[in-house]
Amino acid sequence: MIVGDRWRLLIGERQILWGKNDFPSRLMTVFQEQDKYMDADWAQGVDEFNSLPADQEVRPELQTPTGWGDDEDDDDDYDINDRFGYRTTVGTVLTRLRLMGFTPAASRRSMVEIRKSHLKDYGQPEDVLLVSPARGVRGTPHQMSCEEVIDAGLAAHIKACDRHGLDIRRLDLVEMNCLDELEFYFEHDADDPRFLLAALLHGQDPQNTLTMDLSDLLAADYCSSYEDLSAQAVHELNLLTASTGPIIVITEGKFDAQVIPRALRIVRPEIAGYFNFWDLETTKAAGGTDQVVKNMRSFAAAGVMNRVIGILDNDTAGRQAEKQLASAPLPDHYAVCRLPDVDYAQHYPTLGPSGASTDDVTGRACSVEFHFGQDCLLGPDGKPVPVRWKSHIDPMNDYQGELANKPYVQERIKEMLREAEEGEKPLGREWDPMRRLAETLISLAEPEAE
């Protein structure tokens, strides 16, 4: 028996989109599980047939499930579109598309701008359509704006579609040429098909039905009738977002979010653009280790599928936050790290209740200001700006320290960044901490080996 591996999307009885040998994951996101319909007997028979081992003899009643064949016209009384699939109203799909960011107006506007850009590249006027009777034949100019061409092309596609697909004999010459101008959008390797679907649904009766016929794919064992295919489609796209979307980086403070991206562009310009740092300055969001913890947990609870990395200071509060995040595991594509150790923090001047001393401040007081080399830590007197011991963090049984003159050090770091960005100084060993941080971010962003 031959079974075609096809899917079909229909408005009413018009088959407007279709595909073969693939599962329409992106288009399936406009449906929900409550939209599923099936001929239960037929679907159960197909599922049972597909579950049989290849070497097992097939019982006679399973050899040809009712209505399962390659010729759609064999049984005029049996509607193939009622075997298995998903169906809801055009109005519902338009609402769902808008929630996903696909609107008819935006889609059509984008198509118009692309056409205008294309015509400009070829030195052709925007308000002329070359109407040709056949491909390769020189066309005659027809006065028509880009907006009119796009609208006419979309309308022509709907007009030419019937139950079995596209029949261009329904179109006049101008309509055919307008439709040809949209050929790119109907190719399977073109943009997200939801972009095209939103444009096609413009002006359609919101009470009309939109049906995704998956009967052939079910018969070809692409899926089972009991699976939640719409949820699986969303999950697949979420995984795609996680692997291809921007990597979100959350830092403790505004200064961190300002200088670390600049440093990345200096030490690893080829990868810096893949990391998007949460802009605390613009968003007026609160900073601090507790906010990193709250934000990462909130992102996870909200189902944010981008890779998310939290950067904590290498101090006592950072160690505490790291411990808190480890207590309730985050999704696999979430990660947290502390700023790297620096050797010059092992013997660093400090100020405490008992006076001046020298201590190892690694994991106790190393904020981002420690990670631009020793020179940036020098104060107006030419000596390292000391760390002042502040509060005692009981759960960690340790003190939290902070640079006594942090604003001065921050200004030195800004100057160091400016000089590097303008190429005034070669990049020396003082950039090693940022190089190590870049390697850590890359390592955390990479998926775990299976």
Side-chain angles (χ1 to χ4, degrees):
M1 175 179 356
I2 299 174
V3 178
D5 303 350
R6 296 170 291 182
W7 57 264
R8 307 167 181 84
L9 188 69
L10 303 96
I11 295 180
E13 294 296 320
R14 296 177 183 270
Q15 186 181 150
I16 61 169
L17 295 173
W18 52 88
K20 190 173 183 178
N21 300 326
D22 70 338
F23 187 82
S25 295
R26 293 180 186 271
L27 288 172
M28 278 301 298
T29 62
V30 306
F31 295 98
Q32 296 286 295
E33 193 60 13
Q34 64 263 30
D35 304 329
K36 181 187 286 184
Y37 65 87
M38 71 176 78
D39 178 328
D41 292 337
W42 181 85
Q44 183 179 354
V46 171
D47 285 340
E48 191 171 347
F49 179 90
N50 287 336
S51 67
L52 294 175
D55 58 352
Q56 181 173 326
E57 184 177 352
V58 181
R59 301 198 312 270
E61 65 269 24
L62 291 180
Q63 289 183 0
T64 308
T66 303
W68 187 8
D70 188 53
D71 189 348
E72 297 177 2
D73 297 321
D74 283 348
D75 187 352
D76 291 335
D77 296 329
Y78 188 84
D79 188 351
I80 63 162
N81 298 329
D82 285 332
R83 291 174 182 170
F84 179 75
Y86 288 72
R87 179 180 291 128
T88 188
T89 66
V90 168
T92 296
V93 170
L94 279 171
T95 299
R96 292 171 180 172
L97 283 167
R98 290 189 181 96
L99 291 174
M100 290 184 281
F102 299 94
T103 68
S107 294
R108 292 161 64 240
R109 185 165 56 248
S110 178
M111 289 177 172
V112 169
E113 292 304 317
I114 291 172
R115 173 168 169 76
K116 287 181 178 179
S117 177
H118 177 79
L119 292 173
K120 183 178 180 181
D121 289 343
Y122 285 87
Q124 298 176 4
E126 291 184 359
D127 58 350
V128 172
L129 172 70
L130 294 178
V131 177
S132 171
R135 291 185 183 273
V137 179
R138 182 177 179 81
T140 57
H142 184 82
Q143 200 73 20
M144 208 168 186
S145 70
C146 289
E147 289 81 1
E148 290 171 329
V149 170
I150 298 301
D151 287 343
L154 293 168
H157 179 77
I158 298 294
K159 178 181 177 180
C161 287
D162 59 18
R163 176 176 175 173
H164 304 293
L166 196 67
D167 182 0
I168 60 173
R169 293 173 300 178
R170 296 167 174 242
L171 305 179
D172 61 34
L173 196 56
V174 172
E175 290 173 329
M176 288 175 56
N177 279 263
C178 289
L179 182 56
D180 283 344
E181 293 297 317
L182 304 182
E183 183 179 23
F184 164 78
Y185 301 104
F186 291 93
E187 296 175 354
H188 294 301
D189 59 349
D191 287 344
D192 192 315
R194 291 172 295 182
F195 169 89
L196 173 61
L197 179 59
L200 287 171
L201 294 184
H202 174 70
Q204 297 300 310
D205 180 359
Q207 297 304 314
N208 205 347
T209 58
L210 191 76
T211 301
M212 175 62 78
D213 172 26
L214 299 175
S215 53
D216 279 358
L217 296 189
L218 180 69
D221 202 18
Y222 277 69
C223 55
S224 301
S225 65
Y226 51 81
E227 292 179 281
D228 186 341
L229 301 179
S230 58
Q232 288 183 22
V234 171
H235 180 65
E236 286 181 20
L237 290 185
N238 284 342
L239 293 178
L240 181 64
T241 300
S243 62
T244 61
I247 303 159
I248 300 172
V249 182
I250 302 174
T251 61
E252 285 194 26
K254 298 176 183 178
F255 188 70
D256 307 53
Q258 291 170 358
V259 299
I260 295 178
R262 293 174 66 185
L264 279 182
R265 288 193 291 270
I266 291 168
V267 299
R268 293 298 300 271
E270 75 282 10
I271 57 92
Y274 289 90
F275 296 90
N276 281 6
F277 284 73
W278 197 12
D279 187 355
L280 298 176
E281 181 70 36
T282 301
T283 61
K284 305 299 181 184
T289 54
D290 58 335
Q291 289 300 319
V292 174
V293 173
K294 290 178 181 178
N295 290 332
M296 293 197 71
R297 287 180 174 170
S298 296
F299 278 29
V304 174
M305 289 303 299
N306 297 65
R307 286 162 290 176
V308 180
I309 299 174
I311 300 179
L312 298 165
D313 286 352
N314 195 355
D315 57 14
T316 307
R319 287 190 290 121
Q320 182 185 21
E322 190 176 41
K323 187 176 180 180
Q324 290 172 339
L325 286 169
S327 66
L330 293 166
D332 292 340
H333 54 286
Y334 283 50
V336 64
C337 68
R338 281 185 287 128
L339 292 168
D341 294 348
V342 290
D343 54 8
Y344 44 84
Q346 296 174 4
H347 303 281
Y348 198 81
T350 61
L351 296 173
S354 57
S357 181
T358 300
D359 293 288
D360 184 356
V361 298
T362 303
R364 303 172 73 198
C366 290
S367 56
V368 71
E369 289 81 8
F370 269 83
H371 295 81
F372 290 86
Q374 288 178 278
D375 285 351
C376 283
L377 292 168
L378 299 179
D381 59 359
K383 298 178 182 180
V385 174
V387 163
R388 187 182 302 277
W389 295 117
K390 303 182 74 176
S391 58
H392 186 270
I393 299 181
D394 293 337
M396 304 304 294
N397 193 29
D398 207 347
Y399 283 91
Q400 167 79 3
E402 184 179 287
L403 286 170
N405 192 357
K406 186 180 285 190
Y408 182 82
V409 175
Q410 290 178 347
E411 289 303 315
R412 290 180 64 86
I413 291 173
K414 291 177 182 178
E415 179 61 18
M416 175 181 169
L417 288 166
R418 185 196 63 78
E419 290 176 349
E421 288 166 344
E422 295 181 4
E424 295 182 8
K425 291 178 63 176
L427 305 182
R429 292 186 58 189
E430 68 274 14
W431 290 95
D432 284 351
M434 281 294 120
R435 293 187 179 104
R436 291 202 300 275
L437 177 59
E439 291 304 317
T440 298
L441 292 176
I442 293 170
S443 176
L444 293 176
E446 290 177 346
E448 294 184 6
E450 296 183 359

